[in-house]
Amino acid sequence: MMLQNLISMLLYVSFVIYVMFGAYSLALNKEERLNRVFAVLCFCFSIWGFAFAATNSAGTYAEAIFLRRISVFGWGVAYSLILHFVIVLTESNWSQKKKWPILFLTLYLPSVFFIFFFCLYPQTANEQVQMVKSVAGWTSVSSENILEKLFYLYYLGFSATSFLLLIKWYLKSSDHDTKNKALYLLIAFSVALSLGTFTDVLANSFSVVKLPSLAPIVIMIPATTIFYIIHKFGLMRPKEHKIEYLEGVILNTNSRMKLFMFIGTILAVGSAINFFIRLVHADDRLTGIMLSCFLALLGAIITSIPYHVKTVKNQEKILAIILSILLPLLMLSYSTGPFSNIIWPVPIFFLMITMIFNNKKIFYTIAFLTILMGIILWVRIPDFDMLVGFRIYSLRLLLYGIGISLTIIIRNIYVSRLDENAKQEEFQKMISDISADFLTINHNDYRKKITDLLKRSGSYVNADRAYICSFSKNIDTFSYAYRWLDEHVKPTIRETEKYETAAFPWCKERLLNNQIVYLPNPGALPLEADEERAEILKHQIQSIIGV
């Protein structure tokens, strides 16, 4: 039973991770095609992981068969989506818009075929899916018929095509970062394909203990690799979000995103813990698994709210509605059983969250529900005796950890707001001083005051140099008319030299459209701006702010 629970738990954790990966990729930039394909791929993996986790811990044969049939919406579509993702990533000819109808037909017709015969059509589905119970959980038995052979052909054929496209991408690219991306993905997919084939096909042919399919866990290798190179190389470009404070709002854009991410992550972790509890306590297991799934999806939704909902007011409304549903749901779910004694502090965490939003209605709603749930639990369980052991103490420590983390986040938000207020005051003073200084400007001190302006501005943003650029009339060239350098900086740019704007197309377009150029590092430039990146690195520039 312990081995079965461990495998079920690992499969379920893979489901939670895929859900959060998918939500994160959409949150980065839902307009980017690569992000959308990766998000659908992650949600497909999540169906696969959840169905296998629920199947492996099923109480009856009928339940295991039903859930296993549902899983075809994961593994039956996954390899089509993997190839689709690789085609878009490598910018293959098949990714052109005019070829989309043929591409979709070629990629997804096999998936429709397998979904129909492995799930929807009862006669073939019942013959195809056979399960046996072992100490490791429910394992599918190979039918060795034509449908299974066709699936292996599909799985190997689409995987091989994905490999060939990645190899071609690696060999064709001259960019170092692109080669690294291709190499990481090739290694990750190779390891995943080898391990998946071994655990799901070969191992059960020779092993005494029949293992359930571990493919959702194995596929986490390429999924995590993609997630890693998103951060390292900016694989899927994030949509820009303006960082601002609104009047009467405590959270700025970044803080709000972090808070929603934290709440979503806590729900995802809580989902996994709830799944484990329901595995250990088999009573009401199916309802508990559905609750776990609901919590994970809710975590993904909350994480995405600040990215997809424009106004702060609507973000707060949606979060308030979710918290108002979630609080009674959690309290009532754990109002009976051995864990009813540790659920009572949960409303305090909800109340702590309402402190961050300057909205009395949210606070009063959660406060009312807190009192109401307390009264309901009192009526339902007027008194009880319970034995406190390892599990109860473990969950108490977990709640302490959540409370401490939430307190740290709230403290950091308020400290950040105080720092922002101080910076705003400093900024206004700098603007006032510069404005007063320029009221008395004349021909003799013009250059000195311009240099002073650059020094004040550069020092304010912790830059070590600042320039005023002058475009030619036809915008073909620009030169650095004025400059300020920190005393420790050696000049790398000559003031009299003219530079071609053609070498900086991305920056030029943004500046001429009155947009700020902010590059925290050269890697923040989009993939197509290779020439710009090389030019910036040539001058040993690490970051740029251009207005």
Side-chain angles (χ1 to χ4, degrees):
M1 194 67 178
M2 186 179 292
L3 180 59
Q4 180 182 358
N5 288 345
L6 175 63
I7 292 174
S8 298
M9 193 66 203
L10 289 173
L11 288 166
Y12 186 82
V13 168
S14 74
F15 154 70
V16 173
I17 291 172
Y18 292 136
V19 167
M20 297 305 286
F21 278 5
Y24 178 76
S25 65
L26 278 181
L28 275 178
N29 190 350
K30 66 176 184 282
E31 281 81 26
E32 189 78 22
R33 189 181 173 201
L34 189 64
N35 295 55
R36 294 199 302 270
V37 176
F38 181 66
V40 176
L41 178 60
C42 285
F43 292 139
C44 174
F45 287 162
S46 69
I47 293 171
W48 193 353
F50 177 78
F52 272 29
T55 299
N56 197 57
S57 59
T60 63
Y61 181 82
E63 186 185 330
I65 284 286
F66 172 75
L67 290 166
R68 178 71 183 198
R69 283 170 63 174
I70 294 297
S71 70
V72 72
F73 288 94
W75 54 263
V77 187
Y79 300 100
S80 298
L81 282 165
I82 289 171
L83 180 54
H84 192 170
F85 176 79
V86 172
I87 287 171
V88 176
L89 172 66
T90 58
E91 297 179 347
S92 166
N93 290 332
W94 283 101
S95 66
Q96 296 174 12
K97 194 168 185 177
K98 62 182 180 181
K99 295 185 178 180
W100 284 8
I102 301 173
L103 175 68
F104 277 85
L105 188 65
T106 307
L107 285 178
Y108 296 105
L109 192 59
S111 298
V112 173
F113 174 84
F114 291 120
I115 288 172
F116 179 77
F117 284 107
F118 280 77
C119 178
L120 302 179
Y121 187 51
Q123 187 174 342
T124 53
N126 290 333
E127 291 175 1
Q128 193 66 34
V129 181
Q130 299 293 323
M131 308 292 290
V132 295
K133 184 75 179 284
S134 71
V135 292
W138 290 96
T139 308
S140 64
V141 180
S142 175
S143 56
E144 296 183 355
N145 59 16
I146 185 66
L147 283 176
E148 186 170 291
K149 289 174 182 176
L150 283 173
F151 173 74
Y152 285 136
L153 184 65
Y154 155 74
Y155 143 69
L156 291 171
F158 276 51
S159 297
T161 307
S162 300
F163 272 108
L164 289 173
L165 286 173
L166 286 172
I167 291 169
K168 184 180 176 183
W169 191 42
Y170 175 80
L171 296 173
K172 188 178 177 182
S173 176
S174 57
D175 179 62
H176 179 69
D177 285 349
T178 303
K179 278 190 173 293
N180 280 338
K181 291 175 203 171
L183 183 62
Y184 292 160
L185 287 173
L186 278 169
I187 293 170
F189 278 118
S190 299
V191 172
L193 185 64
S194 303
L195 280 177
T197 304
F198 175 76
T199 57
D200 287 17
V201 181
L202 300 177
N204 281 335
S205 302
F206 304 103
S207 174
V208 177
V209 177
K210 298 296 182 184
L211 292 173
S213 175
L214 302 177
I217 301 170
V218 172
I219 291 176
M220 280 184 64
I221 297 170
T224 307
T225 303
I226 294 170
F227 190 77
Y228 167 73
I229 59 181
I230 286 172
H231 285 275
K232 184 172 177 62
F233 301 108
L235 175 62
M236 297 185 287
R237 290 199 297 272
K239 188 177 180 180
E240 291 184 355
H241 294 274
K242 187 179 178 182
I243 301 173
E244 59 181 353
Y245 275 111
L246 301 177
E247 188 175 349
V249 177
I250 296 168
L251 298 167
N252 69 5
T253 309
N254 268 357
S255 297
R256 201 178 311 119
M257 288 177 179
K258 287 177 182 177
L259 177 66
F260 278 77
M261 178 74 76
F262 174 78
I263 297 172
T265 304
I266 289 297
L267 283 178
V269 172
S271 163
I273 293 167
N274 182 71
F275 183 81
F276 178 72
I277 290 172
R278 302 297 175 164
L279 284 180
V280 175
H281 299 273
D283 55 315
D284 201 22
R285 187 187 56 79
L286 193 57
T287 307
I289 289 174
M290 291 301 108
L291 174 61
S292 297
C293 180
F294 178 71
L295 290 176
L297 295 175
L298 211 56
I301 290 169
I302 289 176
T303 300
S304 305
I305 287 174
Y307 297 92
H308 300 311
V309 181
K310 291 183 178 179
T311 66
V312 174
K313 191 174 182 180
N314 287 338
Q315 290 175 14
E316 291 182 354
K317 278 183 181 178
I318 294 170
L319 183 63
I321 292 169
I322 292 174
L323 293 180
S324 301
I325 295 170
L326 192 58
L327 177 57
L329 180 65
L330 288 175
M331 297 295 286
L332 294 174
S333 297
Y334 282 90
S335 61
T336 58
F339 300 106
S340 55
N341 190 42
I342 56 99
I343 198 65
W344 65 267
V346 169
I348 297 173
F349 301 146
F350 285 73
L351 288 168
M352 289 172 69
I353 292 171
T354 64
M355 290 170 53
I356 303 170
F357 301 102
N358 189 15
N359 191 320
K360 290 182 180 179
K361 290 181 181 178
I362 298 177
F363 171 76
Y364 288 136
T365 302
I366 299 300
F368 170 75
L369 287 173
T370 298
I371 300 297
L372 180 64
M373 287 301 104
I375 293 170
I376 290 173
L377 292 184
W378 189 1
V379 171
R380 291 188 67 178
I381 315 171
D383 53 13
F384 63 89
D385 298 320
M386 71 174 299
L387 182 66
V388 178
F390 173 78
R391 286 173 296 176
I392 300 296
Y393 279 121
S394 299
L395 286 172
R396 283 182 181 178
L397 287 172
L398 176 67
L399 290 178
Y400 290 162
I402 293 172
I404 290 167
S405 302
L406 189 56
T407 304
I408 290 171
I409 283 182
I410 292 173
R411 179 191 174 279
N412 288 342
I413 286 169
Y414 278 98
V415 169
S416 174
R417 185 61 196 261
L418 290 172
D419 289 344
E420 185 67 25
N421 289 342
K423 287 181 180 178
Q424 188 67 23
E425 185 180 347
E426 182 187 350
F427 179 72
Q428 293 296 341
K429 184 178 183 302
M430 182 185 72
I431 294 293
S432 176
D433 290 346
I434 290 173
S435 299
D437 201 27
F438 270 70
L439 286 174
T440 59
I441 196 167
N442 58 55
H443 178 74
N444 295 325
D445 61 5
Y446 184 82
R447 178 170 289 275
K448 179 180 179 299
K449 291 196 174 185
I450 292 289
T451 305
D452 186 58
L453 161 67
L454 292 175
K455 180 180 180 181
R456 287 171 182 262
S457 304
S459 299
Y460 178 76
V461 296
N462 293 324
D464 60 5
R465 68 199 77 189
Y467 300 92
I468 289 181
C469 294
S470 176
F471 283 104
S472 62
K473 286 184 179 180
N474 56 7
I475 319 295
D476 285 343
T477 63
F478 68 92
S479 58
Y480 294 93
Y482 302 93
R483 75 178 183 188
W484 163 79
L485 302 177
D486 187 81
E487 57 184 6
H488 302 297
V489 174
K490 293 180 180 179
T492 59
I493 294 171
R494 292 186 292 275
E495 291 182 56
T496 55
E497 188 171 344
K498 291 187 177 182
Y499 296 87
E500 299 287 334
T501 56
F504 302 91
W506 186 81
C507 293
K508 172 186 171 182
E509 182 184 357
R510 292 187 66 82
L511 289 172
L512 294 180
N513 288 327
N514 265 342
Q515 293 176 298
I516 292 176
V517 172
Y518 171 56
L519 299 174
N521 56 72
L525 280 164
L527 298 176
E528 62 269 18
D530 286 336
E531 291 182 10
E532 249 160 310
R533 188 182 296 107
E535 192 68 27
I536 287 169
L537 290 173
K538 186 175 79 172
H539 292 289
Q540 300 177 348
I541 296 171
Q542 298 302 315
S543 57
I544 295 176
I545 297 175
V547 184

